[in-house]
mmCIF file of all heavy atoms in Angstrom:
data_model
loop_
_atom_site.group_PDB
_atom_site.id
_atom_site.type_symbol
_atom_site.label_atom_id
_atom_site.label_comp_id
_atom_site.label_asym_id
_atom_site.label_seq_id
_atom_site.Cartn_x
_atom_site.Cartn_y
_atom_site.Cartn_z
ATOM 1 N N MET A 1 109.391 74.384 104.549
ATOM 2 C CA MET A 1 108.235 74.977 105.229
ATOM 3 C C MET A 1 108.118 76.475 104.946
ATOM 4 O O MET A 1 106.999 76.990 104.775
ATOM 5 C CB MET A 1 108.265 74.710 106.731
ATOM 6 C CG MET A 1 109.494 75.129 107.491
ATOM 7 S SD MET A 1 110.680 73.784 107.523
ATOM 8 C CE MET A 1 111.988 74.539 108.478
ATOM 9 N N MET A 2 109.232 77.176 104.828
ATOM 10 C CA MET A 2 109.177 78.602 104.535
ATOM 11 C C MET A 2 108.915 78.809 103.034
ATOM 12 O O MET A 2 108.073 79.636 102.672
ATOM 13 C CB MET A 2 110.455 79.307 104.940
ATOM 14 C CG MET A 2 110.432 80.791 104.612
ATOM 15 S SD MET A 2 111.822 81.675 105.263
ATOM 16 C CE MET A 2 110.968 82.703 106.441
ATOM 17 N N THR A 3 109.599 78.091 102.200
ATOM 18 C CA THR A 3 109.444 78.252 100.753
ATOM 19 C C THR A 3 108.016 78.037 100.312
ATOM 20 O O THR A 3 107.436 78.877 99.596
ATOM 21 C CB THR A 3 110.378 77.260 100.017
ATOM 22 O OG1 THR A 3 111.741 77.481 100.452
ATOM 23 C CG2 THR A 3 110.296 77.422 98.527
ATOM 24 N N ILE A 4 107.412 76.967 100.743
ATOM 25 C CA ILE A 4 106.023 76.642 100.366
ATOM 26 C C ILE A 4 105.066 77.690 100.909
ATOM 27 O O ILE A 4 104.161 78.165 100.213
ATOM 28 C CB ILE A 4 105.651 75.219 100.844
ATOM 29 C CG1 ILE A 4 106.469 74.188 100.080
ATOM 30 C CG2 ILE A 4 104.149 74.979 100.679
ATOM 31 C CD1 ILE A 4 106.411 72.786 100.686
ATOM 32 N N SER A 5 105.263 78.059 102.174
ATOM 33 C CA SER A 5 104.368 79.035 102.817
ATOM 34 C C SER A 5 104.428 80.395 102.123
ATOM 35 O O SER A 5 103.409 81.050 101.920
ATOM 36 C CB SER A 5 104.721 79.186 104.296
ATOM 37 O OG SER A 5 104.519 77.944 104.957
ATOM 38 N N MET A 6 105.627 80.827 101.749
ATOM 39 C CA MET A 6 105.764 82.130 101.085
ATOM 40 C C MET A 6 105.143 82.108 99.696
ATOM 41 O O MET A 6 104.543 83.105 99.260
ATOM 42 C CB MET A 6 107.229 82.543 101.038
ATOM 43 C CG MET A 6 107.841 82.828 102.409
ATOM 44 S SD MET A 6 106.848 83.907 103.465
ATOM 45 C CE MET A 6 106.897 85.455 102.542
ATOM 46 N N LYS A 7 105.232 80.995 99.003
ATOM 47 C CA LYS A 7 104.564 80.891 97.696
ATOM 48 C C LYS A 7 103.052 80.974 97.860
ATOM 49 O O LYS A 7 102.368 81.588 97.025
ATOM 50 C CB LYS A 7 104.984 79.612 96.985
ATOM 51 C CG LYS A 7 106.389 79.678 96.425
ATOM 52 C CD LYS A 7 106.771 78.436 95.678
ATOM 53 C CE LYS A 7 108.185 78.588 95.148
ATOM 54 N NZ LYS A 7 108.648 77.416 94.436
ATOM 55 N N GLU A 8 102.521 80.355 98.900
ATOM 56 C CA GLU A 8 101.084 80.460 99.170
ATOM 57 C C GLU A 8 100.685 81.904 99.445
ATOM 58 O O GLU A 8 99.676 82.385 98.926
ATOM 59 C CB GLU A 8 100.690 79.605 100.389
ATOM 60 C CG GLU A 8 100.509 78.159 100.080
ATOM 61 C CD GLU A 8 100.029 77.374 101.293
ATOM 62 O OE1 GLU A 8 99.711 77.980 102.348
ATOM 63 O OE2 GLU A 8 99.998 76.140 101.186
ATOM 64 N N ILE A 9 101.450 82.586 100.256
ATOM 65 C CA ILE A 9 101.158 83.997 100.587
ATOM 66 C C ILE A 9 101.197 84.830 99.307
ATOM 67 O O ILE A 9 100.341 85.689 99.089
ATOM 68 C CB ILE A 9 102.167 84.543 101.630
ATOM 69 C CG1 ILE A 9 101.884 83.925 103.009
ATOM 70 C CG2 ILE A 9 102.136 86.068 101.709
ATOM 71 C CD1 ILE A 9 100.590 84.363 103.659
ATOM 72 N N GLU A 10 102.166 84.603 98.439
ATOM 73 C CA GLU A 10 102.261 85.346 97.174
ATOM 74 C C GLU A 10 101.020 85.140 96.322
ATOM 75 O O GLU A 10 100.521 86.074 95.690
ATOM 76 C CB GLU A 10 103.505 84.941 96.398
ATOM 77 C CG GLU A 10 104.780 85.489 96.980
ATOM 78 C CD GLU A 10 106.013 85.021 96.238
ATOM 79 O OE1 GLU A 10 105.899 84.603 95.050
ATOM 80 O OE2 GLU A 10 107.094 85.041 96.833
ATOM 81 N N ARG A 11 100.489 83.922 96.308
ATOM 82 C CA ARG A 11 99.270 83.646 95.532
ATOM 83 C C ARG A 11 98.065 84.338 96.138
ATOM 84 O O ARG A 11 97.159 84.766 95.436
ATOM 85 C CB ARG A 11 99.025 82.152 95.436
ATOM 86 C CG ARG A 11 99.873 81.436 94.412
ATOM 87 C CD ARG A 11 99.369 80.030 94.128
ATOM 88 N NE ARG A 11 99.253 79.206 95.320
ATOM 89 C CZ ARG A 11 100.244 78.442 95.819
ATOM 90 N NH1 ARG A 11 101.395 78.396 95.229
ATOM 91 N NH2 ARG A 11 100.039 77.723 96.903
ATOM 92 N N GLU A 12 98.011 84.416 97.464
ATOM 93 C CA GLU A 12 96.870 85.010 98.164
ATOM 94 C C GLU A 12 96.942 86.527 98.216
ATOM 95 O O GLU A 12 95.944 87.197 98.477
ATOM 96 C CB GLU A 12 96.795 84.457 99.599
ATOM 97 C CG GLU A 12 96.562 82.974 99.667
ATOM 98 C CD GLU A 12 96.792 82.396 101.075
ATOM 99 O OE1 GLU A 12 97.222 83.150 101.974
ATOM 100 O OE2 GLU A 12 96.549 81.192 101.237
ATOM 101 N N LEU A 13 98.109 87.091 97.998
ATOM 102 C CA LEU A 13 98.350 88.518 98.187
ATOM 103 C C LEU A 13 97.392 89.432 97.431
ATOM 104 O O LEU A 13 96.851 90.380 98.021
ATOM 105 C CB LEU A 13 99.806 88.851 97.830
ATOM 106 C CG LEU A 13 100.324 90.191 98.286
ATOM 107 C CD1 LEU A 13 100.243 90.329 99.785
ATOM 108 C CD2 LEU A 13 101.745 90.386 97.808
ATOM 109 N N PRO A 14 97.131 89.206 96.146
ATOM 110 C CA PRO A 14 96.211 90.121 95.442
ATOM 111 C C PRO A 14 94.833 90.233 96.107
ATOM 112 O O PRO A 14 94.280 91.317 96.201
ATOM 113 C CB PRO A 14 96.092 89.510 94.039
ATOM 114 C CG PRO A 14 97.368 88.745 93.852
ATOM 115 C CD PRO A 14 97.680 88.197 95.238
ATOM 116 N N LYS A 15 94.297 89.114 96.582
ATOM 117 C CA LYS A 15 92.993 89.122 97.253
ATOM 118 C C LYS A 15 93.053 89.953 98.525
ATOM 119 O O LYS A 15 92.168 90.781 98.785
ATOM 120 C CB LYS A 15 92.574 87.681 97.564
ATOM 121 C CG LYS A 15 91.281 87.549 98.346
ATOM 122 C CD LYS A 15 90.937 86.102 98.624
ATOM 123 C CE LYS A 15 91.920 85.525 99.604
ATOM 124 N NZ LYS A 15 91.633 84.178 100.083
ATOM 125 N N PHE A 16 94.092 89.766 99.333
ATOM 126 C CA PHE A 16 94.226 90.489 100.580
ATOM 127 C C PHE A 16 94.446 91.988 100.359
ATOM 128 O O PHE A 16 93.861 92.817 101.045
ATOM 129 C CB PHE A 16 95.344 89.929 101.443
ATOM 130 C CG PHE A 16 95.045 88.558 101.978
ATOM 131 C CD1 PHE A 16 95.904 87.501 101.720
ATOM 132 C CD2 PHE A 16 93.919 88.314 102.750
ATOM 133 C CE1 PHE A 16 95.630 86.243 102.178
ATOM 134 C CE2 PHE A 16 93.650 87.054 103.244
ATOM 135 C CZ PHE A 16 94.510 86.016 102.970
ATOM 136 N N ILE A 17 95.284 92.313 99.399
ATOM 137 C CA ILE A 17 95.590 93.734 99.180
ATOM 138 C C ILE A 17 94.362 94.461 98.648
ATOM 139 O O ILE A 17 94.095 95.603 99.029
ATOM 140 C CB ILE A 17 96.831 93.934 98.269
ATOM 141 C CG1 ILE A 17 97.377 95.345 98.511
ATOM 142 C CG2 ILE A 17 96.538 93.694 96.836
ATOM 143 C CD1 ILE A 17 98.796 95.530 98.045
ATOM 144 N N GLU A 18 93.585 93.800 97.804
ATOM 145 C CA GLU A 18 92.370 94.428 97.287
ATOM 146 C C GLU A 18 91.407 94.730 98.431
ATOM 147 O O GLU A 18 90.842 95.812 98.535
ATOM 148 C CB GLU A 18 91.695 93.542 96.246
ATOM 149 C CG GLU A 18 90.457 94.160 95.656
ATOM 150 C CD GLU A 18 89.797 93.281 94.609
ATOM 151 O OE1 GLU A 18 90.448 92.373 94.059
ATOM 152 O OE2 GLU A 18 88.605 93.502 94.350
ATOM 153 N N LYS A 19 91.229 93.754 99.314
ATOM 154 C CA LYS A 19 90.330 93.928 100.457
ATOM 155 C C LYS A 19 90.813 95.096 101.334
ATOM 156 O O LYS A 19 90.011 95.940 101.743
ATOM 157 C CB LYS A 19 90.289 92.630 101.270
ATOM 158 C CG LYS A 19 89.446 92.720 102.499
ATOM 159 C CD LYS A 19 89.508 91.418 103.292
ATOM 160 C CE LYS A 19 88.791 91.579 104.622
ATOM 161 N NZ LYS A 19 89.362 90.781 105.668
ATOM 162 N N LYS A 20 92.100 95.151 101.616
ATOM 163 C CA LYS A 20 92.639 96.203 102.473
ATOM 164 C C LYS A 20 92.575 97.566 101.797
ATOM 165 O O LYS A 20 92.345 98.577 102.472
ATOM 166 C CB LYS A 20 94.080 95.887 102.872
ATOM 167 C CG LYS A 20 94.182 94.733 103.834
ATOM 168 C CD LYS A 20 93.503 95.085 105.152
ATOM 169 C CE LYS A 20 93.665 94.003 106.149
ATOM 170 N NZ LYS A 20 93.029 94.352 107.416
ATOM 171 N N GLN A 21 92.739 97.619 100.480
ATOM 172 C CA GLN A 21 92.624 98.893 99.771
ATOM 173 C C GLN A 21 91.208 99.434 99.840
ATOM 174 O O GLN A 21 90.997 100.630 100.049
ATOM 175 C CB GLN A 21 93.036 98.717 98.301
ATOM 176 C CG GLN A 21 94.519 98.603 98.097
ATOM 177 C CD GLN A 21 94.866 98.275 96.657
ATOM 178 O OE1 GLN A 21 94.084 97.664 95.925
ATOM 179 N NE2 GLN A 21 96.050 98.662 96.241
ATOM 180 N N VAL A 22 90.228 98.552 99.696
ATOM 181 C CA VAL A 22 88.824 98.970 99.785
ATOM 182 C C VAL A 22 88.541 99.512 101.175
ATOM 183 O O VAL A 22 87.900 100.550 101.336
ATOM 184 C CB VAL A 22 87.873 97.798 99.427
ATOM 185 C CG1 VAL A 22 86.437 98.113 99.783
ATOM 186 C CG2 VAL A 22 87.998 97.477 97.937
ATOM 187 N N GLU A 23 89.051 98.826 102.215
ATOM 188 C CA GLU A 23 88.861 99.288 103.579
ATOM 189 C C GLU A 23 89.485 100.677 103.786
ATOM 190 O O GLU A 23 88.872 101.575 104.384
ATOM 191 C CB GLU A 23 89.491 98.315 104.586
ATOM 192 C CG GLU A 23 88.745 97.018 104.722
ATOM 193 C CD GLU A 23 89.462 96.015 105.611
ATOM 194 O OE1 GLU A 23 90.478 96.392 106.279
ATOM 195 O OE2 GLU A 23 89.045 94.847 105.631
ATOM 196 N N LEU A 24 90.700 100.873 103.246
ATOM 197 C CA LEU A 24 91.355 102.176 103.369
ATOM 198 C C LEU A 24 90.567 103.276 102.658
ATOM 199 O O LEU A 24 90.345 104.336 103.208
ATOM 200 C CB LEU A 24 92.779 102.108 102.817
ATOM 201 C CG LEU A 24 93.547 103.439 102.802
ATOM 202 C CD1 LEU A 24 93.754 103.963 104.207
ATOM 203 C CD2 LEU A 24 94.867 103.276 102.052
ATOM 204 N N LEU A 25 90.137 102.992 101.439
ATOM 205 C CA LEU A 25 89.344 103.990 100.693
ATOM 206 C C LEU A 25 88.053 104.333 101.426
ATOM 207 O O LEU A 25 87.664 105.495 101.493
ATOM 208 C CB LEU A 25 89.050 103.494 99.286
ATOM 209 C CG LEU A 25 90.233 103.531 98.322
ATOM 210 C CD1 LEU A 25 89.862 102.853 97.013
ATOM 211 C CD2 LEU A 25 90.703 104.956 98.073
ATOM 212 N N ASN A 26 87.387 103.336 101.969
ATOM 213 C CA ASN A 26 86.175 103.598 102.739
ATOM 214 C C ASN A 26 86.464 104.488 103.943
ATOM 215 O O ASN A 26 85.705 105.403 104.258
ATOM 216 C CB ASN A 26 85.508 102.293 103.189
ATOM 217 C CG ASN A 26 84.769 101.605 102.072
ATOM 218 O OD1 ASN A 26 84.337 102.241 101.115
ATOM 219 N ND2 ASN A 26 84.637 100.298 102.188
ATOM 220 N N GLN A 27 87.558 104.229 104.637
ATOM 221 C CA GLN A 27 87.919 105.046 105.781
ATOM 222 C C GLN A 27 88.207 106.473 105.343
ATOM 223 O O GLN A 27 87.764 107.412 105.984
ATOM 224 C CB GLN A 27 89.160 104.462 106.490
ATOM 225 C CG GLN A 27 88.867 103.174 107.215
ATOM 226 C CD GLN A 27 90.143 102.502 107.732
ATOM 227 O OE1 GLN A 27 91.243 102.905 107.381
ATOM 228 N NE2 GLN A 27 89.967 101.498 108.545
#
């Protein structure tokens, strides 16, 4: 359950970090 979930998070990470970076730059 942890191994699979962490692999999913790793795949999703670029999308989330890009969104958060844009929010930070806008701020």
Side-chain angles (χ1 to χ4, degrees):
M1 57 268 181
M2 178 173 247
T3 303
I4 293 167
S5 298
M6 293 311 295
K7 285 182 180 180
E8 278 184 8
I9 289 292
E10 286 177 22
R11 281 193 304 271
E12 297 168 355
L13 195 59
K15 175 181 69 174
F16 291 123
I17 201 162
E18 182 180 340
K19 177 183 173 211
K20 290 296 184 180
Q21 285 173 332
V22 168
E23 288 174 10
L24 176 63
L25 285 173
N26 283 334
Q27 289 171 349

